[in-house]
Amino acid sequence: MTYNVAIFMRDSMYPLNYKNIAAGIHEQKADVICLNELDSMTTRTQHEYQLKQLASFFPTYEYKFAKAMDYQGGSYGDGILYRAKCVNQYTIPLPKAEGTEPRVMAVIETPSYIIASVHLDVEEKAHQAQINAINNFFATHFKHSDKPIFLGGDLNAHPLSETLKTFGLDWVVLSEQSPTYPALAPNECLDYILWYKHSRKVKLQQTQVIKNFKSSNIKNSSDHLPVMVEVIF
């Protein structure tokens, strides 16, 4: 799964709604969740380590936070929540264009797969350099790996964009490419799960953009909808 959780502040009735989002994630029974827009110890989110708060609802899962930038006394970035043993983890700063925000890639390696969580800049002018950095990292660090490699996140790009065309040289989009944003009335696909072509092959079983939670109102949980894929390898 990949999910931009918008620092858990989109629900005006229940700000910092870790419980509601955790319940919705539990419904999907995902083994690994790439998460975008996380705060850690910032003033605006009551100095809470957000990924740790979310992980408290998943006692059998581990988590990895990657800081993109300092913010309001703490930090802001992306993360991964996963049900597996981690054998390696990385925080990879991504290049930024003039006038854009710092971005980062969180990566974990487990005994059976490698996955990264990323949130590309809202400005497309930064994407080419960011994609190059992503590809260079995997080509350098996992050239001889026999594990499948996945990338999940908010790519801030539409399916027919130059950004997705560039990704398509080395990656395959596994996820359903239907609208994920804004959650209240989705009309743009911004969130994706991809598989790296130069890694172990996988077979896609199913994919969907999650449009409803049974336990809470998904439209109030975040401004993005979560995306799921099921694969075997």
Side-chain angles (χ1 to χ4, degrees), residues 177-193:
Q177 296 178 58
S178 61
T180 62
Y181 176 88
L184 287 172
N187 57 27
E188 297 180 84
C189 180
L190 300 179
D191 304 88
Y192 304 84
I193 299 171

mmCIF file with all atom_site columns, all heavy atoms in Angstrom, residues 177-193:
data_model
loop_
_atom_site.group_PDB
_atom_site.id
_atom_site.type_symbol
_atom_site.label_atom_id
_atom_site.label_alt_id
_atom_site.label_comp_id
_atom_site.label_asym_id
_atom_site.label_entity_id
_atom_site.label_seq_id
_atom_site.pdbx_PDB_ins_code
_atom_site.Cartn_x
_atom_site.Cartn_y
_atom_site.Cartn_z
_atom_site.occupancy
_atom_site.B_iso_or_equiv
_atom_site.pdbx_formal_charge
_atom_site.auth_seq_id
_atom_site.auth_comp_id
_atom_site.auth_asym_id
_atom_site.auth_atom_id
_atom_site.pdbx_PDB_model_num
ATOM 1   N N   . GLN A 1 177 ? -4.377  3.083  -12.179 1.00 0.00 ? 177 GLN A N   1
ATOM 2   C CA  . GLN A 1 177 ? -4.114  4.498  -12.447 1.00 0.00 ? 177 GLN A CA  1
ATOM 3   C C   . GLN A 1 177 ? -5.413  5.284  -12.576 1.00 0.00 ? 177 GLN A C   1
ATOM 4   O O   . GLN A 1 177 ? -5.678  5.937  -13.581 1.00 0.00 ? 177 GLN A O   1
ATOM 5   C CB  . GLN A 1 177 ? -3.245  4.633  -13.692 1.00 0.00 ? 177 GLN A CB  1
ATOM 6   C CG  . GLN A 1 177 ? -1.863  4.015  -13.494 1.00 0.00 ? 177 GLN A CG  1
ATOM 7   C CD  . GLN A 1 177 ? -0.998  4.085  -14.725 1.00 0.00 ? 177 GLN A CD  1
ATOM 8   O OE1 . GLN A 1 177 ? -0.730  5.160  -15.258 1.00 0.00 ? 177 GLN A OE1 1
ATOM 9   N NE2 . GLN A 1 177 ? -0.559  2.920  -15.194 1.00 0.00 ? 177 GLN A NE2 1
ATOM 10  N N   . SER A 1 178 ? -6.210  5.193  -11.535 1.00 0.00 ? 178 SER A N   1
ATOM 11  C CA  . SER A 1 178 ? -7.432  5.989  -11.455 1.00 0.00 ? 178 SER A CA  1
ATOM 12  C C   . SER A 1 178 ? -7.225  7.069  -10.396 1.00 0.00 ? 178 SER A C   1
ATOM 13  O O   . SER A 1 178 ? -6.272  7.014  -9.615  1.00 0.00 ? 178 SER A O   1
ATOM 14  C CB  . SER A 1 178 ? -8.637  5.115  -11.129 1.00 0.00 ? 178 SER A CB  1
ATOM 15  O OG  . SER A 1 178 ? -8.478  4.469  -9.887  1.00 0.00 ? 178 SER A OG  1
ATOM 16  N N   . PRO A 1 179 ? -8.091  8.083  -10.353 1.00 0.00 ? 179 PRO A N   1
ATOM 17  C CA  . PRO A 1 179 ? -7.835  9.247  -9.492  1.00 0.00 ? 179 PRO A CA  1
ATOM 18  C C   . PRO A 1 179 ? -7.647  8.906  -8.012  1.00 0.00 ? 179 PRO A C   1
ATOM 19  O O   . PRO A 1 179 ? -8.386  8.100  -7.447  1.00 0.00 ? 179 PRO A O   1
ATOM 20  C CB  . PRO A 1 179 ? -9.069  10.118 -9.706  1.00 0.00 ? 179 PRO A CB  1
ATOM 21  C CG  . PRO A 1 179 ? -9.513  9.783  -11.095 1.00 0.00 ? 179 PRO A CG  1
ATOM 22  C CD  . PRO A 1 179 ? -9.255  8.307  -11.224 1.00 0.00 ? 179 PRO A CD  1
ATOM 23  N N   . THR A 1 180 ? -6.654  9.561  -7.410  1.00 0.00 ? 180 THR A N   1
ATOM 24  C CA  . THR A 1 180 ? -6.365  9.386  -5.983  1.00 0.00 ? 180 THR A CA  1
ATOM 25  C C   . THR A 1 180 ? -6.449  10.700 -5.217  1.00 0.00 ? 180 THR A C   1
ATOM 26  O O   . THR A 1 180 ? -6.311  10.715 -4.000  1.00 0.00 ? 180 THR A O   1
ATOM 27  C CB  . THR A 1 180 ? -4.948  8.813  -5.793  1.00 0.00 ? 180 THR A CB  1
ATOM 28  O OG1 . THR A 1 180 ? -3.977  9.739  -6.333  1.00 0.00 ? 180 THR A OG1 1
ATOM 29  C CG2 . THR A 1 180 ? -4.801  7.467  -6.489  1.00 0.00 ? 180 THR A CG2 1
ATOM 30  N N   . TYR A 1 181 ? -6.659  11.809 -5.942  1.00 0.00 ? 181 TYR A N   1
ATOM 31  C CA  . TYR A 1 181 ? -6.620  13.132 -5.318  1.00 0.00 ? 181 TYR A CA  1
ATOM 32  C C   . TYR A 1 181 ? -7.562  14.071 -6.055  1.00 0.00 ? 181 TYR A C   1
ATOM 33  O O   . TYR A 1 181 ? -7.676  13.985 -7.288  1.00 0.00 ? 181 TYR A O   1
ATOM 34  C CB  . TYR A 1 181 ? -5.197  13.671 -5.361  1.00 0.00 ? 181 TYR A CB  1
ATOM 35  C CG  . TYR A 1 181 ? -5.038  15.077 -4.842  1.00 0.00 ? 181 TYR A CG  1
ATOM 36  C CD1 . TYR A 1 181 ? -4.809  15.311 -3.486  1.00 0.00 ? 181 TYR A CD1 1
ATOM 37  C CD2 . TYR A 1 181 ? -5.123  16.167 -5.698  1.00 0.00 ? 181 TYR A CD2 1
ATOM 38  C CE1 . TYR A 1 181 ? -4.665  16.611 -3.005  1.00 0.00 ? 181 TYR A CE1 1
ATOM 39  C CE2 . TYR A 1 181 ? -4.988  17.465 -5.221  1.00 0.00 ? 181 TYR A CE2 1
ATOM 40  C CZ  . TYR A 1 181 ? -4.761  17.679 -3.876  1.00 0.00 ? 181 TYR A CZ  1
ATOM 41  O OH  . TYR A 1 181 ? -4.627  18.953 -3.391  1.00 0.00 ? 181 TYR A OH  1
ATOM 42  N N   . PRO A 1 182 ? -8.244  14.996 -5.326  1.00 0.00 ? 182 PRO A N   1
ATOM 43  C CA  . PRO A 1 182 ? -8.387  15.059 -3.858  1.00 0.00 ? 182 PRO A CA  1
ATOM 44  C C   . PRO A 1 182 ? -9.400  14.025 -3.376  1.00 0.00 ? 182 PRO A C   1
ATOM 45  O O   . PRO A 1 182 ? -10.310 13.649 -4.119  1.00 0.00 ? 182 PRO A O   1
ATOM 46  C CB  . PRO A 1 182 ? -8.892  16.481 -3.626  1.00 0.00 ? 182 PRO A CB  1
ATOM 47  C CG  . PRO A 1 182 ? -9.658  16.814 -4.870  1.00 0.00 ? 182 PRO A CG  1
ATOM 48  C CD  . PRO A 1 182 ? -8.944  16.115 -5.998  1.00 0.00 ? 182 PRO A CD  1
ATOM 49  N N   . ALA A 1 183 ? -9.254  13.558 -2.159  1.00 0.00 ? 183 ALA A N   1
ATOM 50  C CA  . ALA A 1 183 ? -10.088 12.471 -1.652  1.00 0.00 ? 183 ALA A CA  1
ATOM 51  C C   . ALA A 1 183 ? -11.579 12.797 -1.682  1.00 0.00 ? 183 ALA A C   1
ATOM 52  O O   . ALA A 1 183 ? -12.409 11.913 -1.884  1.00 0.00 ? 183 ALA A O   1
ATOM 53  C CB  . ALA A 1 183 ? -9.662  12.099 -0.230  1.00 0.00 ? 183 ALA A CB  1
ATOM 54  N N   . LEU A 1 184 ? -11.915 14.070 -1.488  1.00 0.00 ? 184 LEU A N   1
ATOM 55  C CA  . LEU A 1 184 ? -13.334 14.458 -1.468  1.00 0.00 ? 184 LEU A CA  1
ATOM 56  C C   . LEU A 1 184 ? -14.003 14.259 -2.816  1.00 0.00 ? 184 LEU A C   1
ATOM 57  O O   . LEU A 1 184 ? -15.183 13.906 -2.891  1.00 0.00 ? 184 LEU A O   1
ATOM 58  C CB  . LEU A 1 184 ? -13.478 15.912 -1.015  1.00 0.00 ? 184 LEU A CB  1
ATOM 59  C CG  . LEU A 1 184 ? -13.229 16.191 0.462   1.00 0.00 ? 184 LEU A CG  1
ATOM 60  C CD1 . LEU A 1 184 ? -13.219 17.696 0.723   1.00 0.00 ? 184 LEU A CD1 1
ATOM 61  C CD2 . LEU A 1 184 ? -14.294 15.518 1.325   1.00 0.00 ? 184 LEU A CD2 1
ATOM 62  N N   . ALA A 1 185 ? -13.266 14.483 -3.900  1.00 0.00 ? 185 ALA A N   1
ATOM 63  C CA  . ALA A 1 185 ? -13.801 14.319 -5.257  1.00 0.00 ? 185 ALA A CA  1
ATOM 64  C C   . ALA A 1 185 ? -12.628 14.043 -6.189  1.00 0.00 ? 185 ALA A C   1
ATOM 65  O O   . ALA A 1 185 ? -12.166 14.934 -6.906  1.00 0.00 ? 185 ALA A O   1
ATOM 66  C CB  . ALA A 1 185 ? -14.570 15.558 -5.696  1.00 0.00 ? 185 ALA A CB  1
ATOM 67  N N   . PRO A 1 186 ? -12.123 12.836 -6.184  1.00 0.00 ? 186 PRO A N   1
ATOM 68  C CA  . PRO A 1 186 ? -10.878 12.541 -6.901  1.00 0.00 ? 186 PRO A CA  1
ATOM 69  C C   . PRO A 1 186 ? -10.979 12.787 -8.413  1.00 0.00 ? 186 PRO A C   1
ATOM 70  O O   . PRO A 1 186 ? -11.913 12.336 -9.067  1.00 0.00 ? 186 PRO A O   1
ATOM 71  C CB  . PRO A 1 186 ? -10.659 11.049 -6.616  1.00 0.00 ? 186 PRO A CB  1
ATOM 72  C CG  . PRO A 1 186 ? -11.471 10.753 -5.391  1.00 0.00 ? 186 PRO A CG  1
ATOM 73  C CD  . PRO A 1 186 ? -12.648 11.661 -5.460  1.00 0.00 ? 186 PRO A CD  1
ATOM 74  N N   . ASN A 1 187 ? -9.997  13.517 -8.942  1.00 0.00 ? 187 ASN A N   1
ATOM 75  C CA  . ASN A 1 187 ? -9.942  13.747 -10.385 1.00 0.00 ? 187 ASN A CA  1
ATOM 76  C C   . ASN A 1 187 ? -8.516  13.705 -10.933 1.00 0.00 ? 187 ASN A C   1
ATOM 77  O O   . ASN A 1 187 ? -8.304  13.991 -12.109 1.00 0.00 ? 187 ASN A O   1
ATOM 78  C CB  . ASN A 1 187 ? -10.612 15.076 -10.755 1.00 0.00 ? 187 ASN A CB  1
ATOM 79  C CG  . ASN A 1 187 ? -10.003 16.273 -10.041 1.00 0.00 ? 187 ASN A CG  1
ATOM 80  O OD1 . ASN A 1 187 ? -8.834  16.252 -9.662  1.00 0.00 ? 187 ASN A OD1 1
ATOM 81  N ND2 . ASN A 1 187 ? -10.793 17.306 -9.840  1.00 0.00 ? 187 ASN A ND2 1
ATOM 82  N N   . GLU A 1 188 ? -7.533  13.367 -10.079 1.00 0.00 ? 188 GLU A N   1
ATOM 83  C CA  . GLU A 1 188 ? -6.146  13.269 -10.513 1.00 0.00 ? 188 GLU A CA  1
ATOM 84  C C   . GLU A 1 188 ? -5.502  12.016 -9.925  1.00 0.00 ? 188 GLU A C   1
ATOM 85  O O   . GLU A 1 188 ? -5.665  11.736 -8.736  1.00 0.00 ? 188 GLU A O   1
ATOM 86  C CB  . GLU A 1 188 ? -5.326  14.474 -10.044 1.00 0.00 ? 188 GLU A CB  1
ATOM 87  C CG  . GLU A 1 188 ? -5.748  15.817 -10.576 1.00 0.00 ? 188 GLU A CG  1
ATOM 88  C CD  . GLU A 1 188 ? -4.855  16.915 -10.034 1.00 0.00 ? 188 GLU A CD  1
ATOM 89  O OE1 . GLU A 1 188 ? -3.776  17.130 -10.612 1.00 0.00 ? 188 GLU A OE1 1
ATOM 90  O OE2 . GLU A 1 188 ? -5.227  17.522 -9.013  1.00 0.00 ? 188 GLU A OE2 1
ATOM 91  N N   . CYS A 1 189 ? -4.757  11.295 -10.731 1.00 0.00 ? 189 CYS A N   1
ATOM 92  C CA  . CYS A 1 189 ? -3.959  10.177 -10.228 1.00 0.00 ? 189 CYS A CA  1
ATOM 93  C C   . CYS A 1 189 ? -2.556  10.686 -9.931  1.00 0.00 ? 189 CYS A C   1
ATOM 94  O O   . CYS A 1 189 ? -1.829  11.101 -10.839 1.00 0.00 ? 189 CYS A O   1
ATOM 95  C CB  . CYS A 1 189 ? -3.899  9.053  -11.258 1.00 0.00 ? 189 CYS A CB  1
ATOM 96  S SG  . CYS A 1 189 ? -2.929  7.635  -10.703 1.00 0.00 ? 189 CYS A SG  1
ATOM 97  N N   . LEU A 1 190 ? -2.190  10.693 -8.657  1.00 0.00 ? 190 LEU A N   1
ATOM 98  C CA  . LEU A 1 190 ? -0.877  11.172 -8.230  1.00 0.00 ? 190 LEU A CA  1
ATOM 99  C C   . LEU A 1 190 ? -0.073  10.112 -7.484  1.00 0.00 ? 190 LEU A C   1
ATOM 100 O O   . LEU A 1 190 ? 1.139   10.255 -7.318  1.00 0.00 ? 190 LEU A O   1
ATOM 101 C CB  . LEU A 1 190 ? -1.023  12.400 -7.317  1.00 0.00 ? 190 LEU A CB  1
ATOM 102 C CG  . LEU A 1 190 ? -1.726  13.633 -7.904  1.00 0.00 ? 190 LEU A CG  1
ATOM 103 C CD1 . LEU A 1 190 ? -1.790  14.732 -6.847  1.00 0.00 ? 190 LEU A CD1 1
ATOM 104 C CD2 . LEU A 1 190 ? -1.025  14.128 -9.159  1.00 0.00 ? 190 LEU A CD2 1
ATOM 105 N N   . ASP A 1 191 ? -0.738  9.044  -7.026  1.00 0.00 ? 191 ASP A N   1
ATOM 106 C CA  . ASP A 1 191 ? -0.123  8.067  -6.129  1.00 0.00 ? 191 ASP A CA  1
ATOM 107 C C   . ASP A 1 191 ? 0.027   6.723  -6.841  1.00 0.00 ? 191 ASP A C   1
ATOM 108 O O   . ASP A 1 191 ? -0.937  6.224  -7.449  1.00 0.00 ? 191 ASP A O   1
ATOM 109 C CB  . ASP A 1 191 ? -0.976  7.915  -4.874  1.00 0.00 ? 191 ASP A CB  1
ATOM 110 C CG  . ASP A 1 191 ? -1.186  9.255  -4.171  1.00 0.00 ? 191 ASP A CG  1
ATOM 111 O OD1 . ASP A 1 191 ? -2.149  9.969  -4.524  1.00 0.00 ? 191 ASP A OD1 1
ATOM 112 O OD2 . ASP A 1 191 ? -0.376  9.589  -3.302  1.00 0.00 ? 191 ASP A OD2 1
ATOM 113 N N   . TYR A 1 192 ? 1.200   6.113  -6.704  1.00 0.00 ? 192 TYR A N   1
ATOM 114 C CA  . TYR A 1 192 ? 1.529   4.929  -7.505  1.00 0.00 ? 192 TYR A CA  1
ATOM 115 C C   . TYR A 1 192 ? 2.365   3.935  -6.696  1.00 0.00 ? 192 TYR A C   1
ATOM 116 O O   . TYR A 1 192 ? 3.059   4.304  -5.760  1.00 0.00 ? 192 TYR A O   1
ATOM 117 C CB  . TYR A 1 192 ? 2.359   5.327  -8.727  1.00 0.00 ? 192 TYR A CB  1
ATOM 118 C CG  . TYR A 1 192 ? 1.734   6.356  -9.628  1.00 0.00 ? 192 TYR A CG  1
ATOM 119 C CD1 . TYR A 1 192 ? 1.859   7.725  -9.347  1.00 0.00 ? 192 TYR A CD1 1
ATOM 120 C CD2 . TYR A 1 192 ? 1.043   5.989  -10.779 1.00 0.00 ? 192 TYR A CD2 1
ATOM 121 C CE1 . TYR A 1 192 ? 1.308   8.685  -10.188 1.00 0.00 ? 192 TYR A CE1 1
ATOM 122 C CE2 . TYR A 1 192 ? 0.483   6.940  -11.623 1.00 0.00 ? 192 TYR A CE2 1
ATOM 123 C CZ  . TYR A 1 192 ? 0.621   8.287  -11.316 1.00 0.00 ? 192 TYR A CZ  1
ATOM 124 O OH  . TYR A 1 192 ? 0.069   9.245  -12.139 1.00 0.00 ? 192 TYR A OH  1
ATOM 125 N N   . ILE A 1 193 ? 2.317   2.692  -7.164  1.00 0.00 ? 193 ILE A N   1
ATOM 126 C CA  . ILE A 1 193 ? 3.256   1.664  -6.725  1.00 0.00 ? 193 ILE A CA  1
ATOM 127 C C   . ILE A 1 193 ? 3.901   1.090  -7.982  1.00 0.00 ? 193 ILE A C   1
ATOM 128 O O   . ILE A 1 193 ? 3.205   0.705  -8.929  1.00 0.00 ? 193 ILE A O   1
ATOM 129 C CB  . ILE A 1 193 ? 2.562   0.563  -5.909  1.00 0.00 ? 193 ILE A CB  1
ATOM 130 C CG1 . ILE A 1 193 ? 1.933   1.154  -4.643  1.00 0.00 ? 193 ILE A CG1 1
ATOM 131 C CG2 . ILE A 1 193 ? 3.559   -0.540 -5.544  1.00 0.00 ? 193 ILE A CG2 1
ATOM 132 C CD1 . ILE A 1 193 ? 1.049   0.183  -3.873  1.00 0.00 ? 193 ILE A CD1 1
#
